[in-house]
C-alpha cells in the first residue's frame, strides 16, 4: 500500500515516466538549438537535430529503465523456460523496426559509395551525386553521402548496441512480466524513433535529389515506386515510436487481449 511504502519507493514510483518524457523534452530543446546554427548549412543542421533528438530519446528511456522500481515482494518462480528478448519486444513492429535499421544502414552505405568524391575538399565530399544527363554531366543534391551520413552512422553505432544490451538486461532481469514488457517496448520505441526519423530524412534527400534533375530516368521511377512508400512507412514508424516512448502500454493492446502473464 502507498501509505506503508518506503519514502524513496514513493518518490521513484513514477520516475521512469518523467525520465522518458524528459529525454524527449531535452531532445526537442537541443534539436531546436542545433537547427538554428548559423554557420552550418540547412541540410546538415537537420541531420544534427534529428540525430540529437533520437539519441536524447534513447538516453531518456535507458535512464527510465534504470529508475524503474523492482517488485518488493518475494520472488515467485513461474517457469523454467528461458526468457527470450523476442518475447518482450513488439511482435509486429519489433521486426519491422529491425528491418528498417538494416535498410537504413544499407541505404547510407549505398549513398556514401555513390556520392561524388572531391579530393580537394575532403571535409565536404559526399554532398552530391554526379549523373549523366542528356550526354552531359550534372550533379544532384543534397545527397546523403558521408558529409551528411556520418552523424547518422555514429548515432547508430552508439544506440544500437546500447539498446540491445538494455533489452537483454530487461528480458533476463527481475520484475513482473508486464513491467518487463513495458520497459522493452519503450526501448524498442526509442531506437525506432532514432532509426525511422533518420531514414525518413535520408529518403527525402534522395527523393528530392533524383526528382529535381528532371533526367534521373530509372532512378526517378525508383523514387516514385520505392522511396515515396518508404517515406510514408517511416513516417508511420516515427509516430508509433513516439507514442510508445511516451506511454508504452497505450499501444500494447495484445497484453490486454491475452490477459495471461506469469509473475516472476
Amino acid at each position: 500500500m502507498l501509505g506503508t511504502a518506503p519514502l524513496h519507493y514513493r518518490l521513484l514510483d513514477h520516475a521512469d515516466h518523467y525520465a522518458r518524457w524528459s529525454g524527449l523534452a531535452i531532445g526537442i530543446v537541443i534539436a531546436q538549438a542545433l537547427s538554428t546554427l548559423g554557420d552550418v548549412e540547412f541540410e546538415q543542421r537537420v541531420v544534427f537535430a534529428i540525430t540529437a533528438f533520437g539519441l536524447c530519446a534513447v538516453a531518456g528511456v535507458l535512464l527510465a529503465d534504470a529508475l524503474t522500481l523492482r517488485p518488493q515482494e518475494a520472488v515467485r518462480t513461474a517457469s523454467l523456460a528461458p526468457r527470450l528478448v523476442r518475447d518482450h519486444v513488439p511482435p509486429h513492429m519489433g521486426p519491422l523496426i529491425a528491418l528498417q535499421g538494416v535498410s537504413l544502414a544499407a541505404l547510407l552505405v549505398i549513398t556514401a559509395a555513390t556520392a561524388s568524391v572531391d579530393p580537394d575538399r575532403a571535409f565536404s565530399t559526399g554532398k552530391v551525386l554526379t549523373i549523366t544527363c542528356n550526354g552531359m554531366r550534372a550533379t544532384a543534391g543534397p545527397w546523403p553521402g558521408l558529409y551528411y551520413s556520418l552523424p547518422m552512422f555514429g548515432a547508430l553505432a552508439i544506440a544500437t548496441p546500447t539498446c540491445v544490451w538494455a533489452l537483454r538486461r530487461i528480458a533476463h532481469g527481475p520484475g513482473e512480466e508486464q513491467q518487463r514488457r513495458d520497459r522493452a517496448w519503450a526501448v524498442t520505441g526509442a531506437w525506432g524513433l532514432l532509426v525511422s526519423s533518420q531514414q525518413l530524412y535520408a529518403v527525402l534527400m534522395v527523393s528530392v535529389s533524383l526528382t529535381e534533375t528532371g533526367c534521373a530516368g530509372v532512378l526517378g521511377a525508383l523514387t516514385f515506386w520505392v522511396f515515396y512508400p518508404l517515406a510514408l512507412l517511416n513516417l508511420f514508424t516515427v509516430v508509433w515510436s513516439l507514442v510508445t516512448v511516451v506511454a508504452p502500454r497505450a499501444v500494447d493492446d495484445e497484453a490486454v487481449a491475452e490477459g495471461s502473464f506469469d509473475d516472476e
Side-chain angles (χ1 to χ4, degrees):
M1 295 177 63
L2 182 60
T4 60
L7 177 60
H8 73 278
Y9 189 93
R10 297 200 303 268
L11 292 176
L12 293 177
D13 192 20
H14 299 290
D16 56 327
H17 303 296
Y18 301 144
R20 291 199 305 269
W21 302 338
S22 297
L24 294 174
I26 294 173
I28 292 175
V29 173
I30 295 177
Q32 194 277 333
L34 291 174
S35 66
T36 58
L37 292 176
D39 298 332
V40 182
E41 61 188 63
F42 173 76
E43 291 81 9
Q44 190 71 304
R45 281 181 286 168
V46 175
V47 171
F48 287 154
I50 290 176
T51 302
F53 177 72
L55 288 177
C56 287
V58 171
V61 166
L62 295 178
L63 177 60
D65 183 67
L67 295 175
T68 300
L69 292 172
R70 306 300 186 264
Q72 290 184 318
E73 65 272 10
V75 177
R76 291 178 293 170
T77 302
S79 173
L80 296 177
R83 299 178 191 161
L84 301 176
V85 173
R86 67 170 179 264
D87 296 331
H88 294 80
V89 299
H92 303 298
M93 292 300 297
L96 175 61
I97 293 175
L99 182 60
Q100 287 180 320
V102 174
S103 63
L104 172 61
L107 176 63
L108 294 181
V109 169
I110 293 173
T111 54
T114 56
S116 302
V117 178
D118 187 352
D120 297 328
R121 303 178 63 186
F123 295 102
S124 298
T125 190
K127 297 174 62 174
V128 297
L129 173 69
T130 301
I131 60 176
T132 301
C133 182
N134 297 325
M136 300 180 61
R137 292 175 64 84
T139 58
W143 188 254
L146 285 179
Y147 182 79
Y148 298 112
S149 62
L150 273 179
M152 300 183 186
F153 276 121
L156 287 176
I158 294 173
T160 302
T162 305
C163 289
V164 170
W165 170 82
L167 289 174
R168 289 179 58 85
R169 175 175 174 268
I170 292 170
H172 301 293
E176 297 178 352
E177 184 71 16
Q178 181 63 63
Q179 184 189 66
R180 289 199 306 271
R181 188 185 182 109
D182 292 343
R183 292 158 56 198
W185 279 53
V187 172
T188 305
W191 190 75
L193 184 61
L194 174 68
V195 168
S196 56
S197 60
Q198 288 185 333
Q199 188 174 61
L200 175 61
Y201 189 61
V203 166
L204 290 177
M205 291 179 71
V206 171
S207 301
V208 171
S209 299
L210 295 181
T211 54
E212 281 191 345
T213 61
C215 58
V218 176
L219 293 179
L222 185 67
T223 299
F224 182 81
W225 293 107
V226 176
F227 290 129
Y228 287 159
L230 186 59
L232 292 176
L233 177 61
N234 278 279
L235 183 60
F236 166 77
T237 308
V238 166
V239 175
W240 182 92
S241 299
L242 185 60
V243 174
T244 304
V245 172
V246 174
R249 205 168 297 187
V251 294
D252 187 7
D253 54 353
E254 295 186 5
V256 179
E258 293 173 1
S260 58
F261 291 109
D262 295 325
D263 294 336
E264 297 298 317

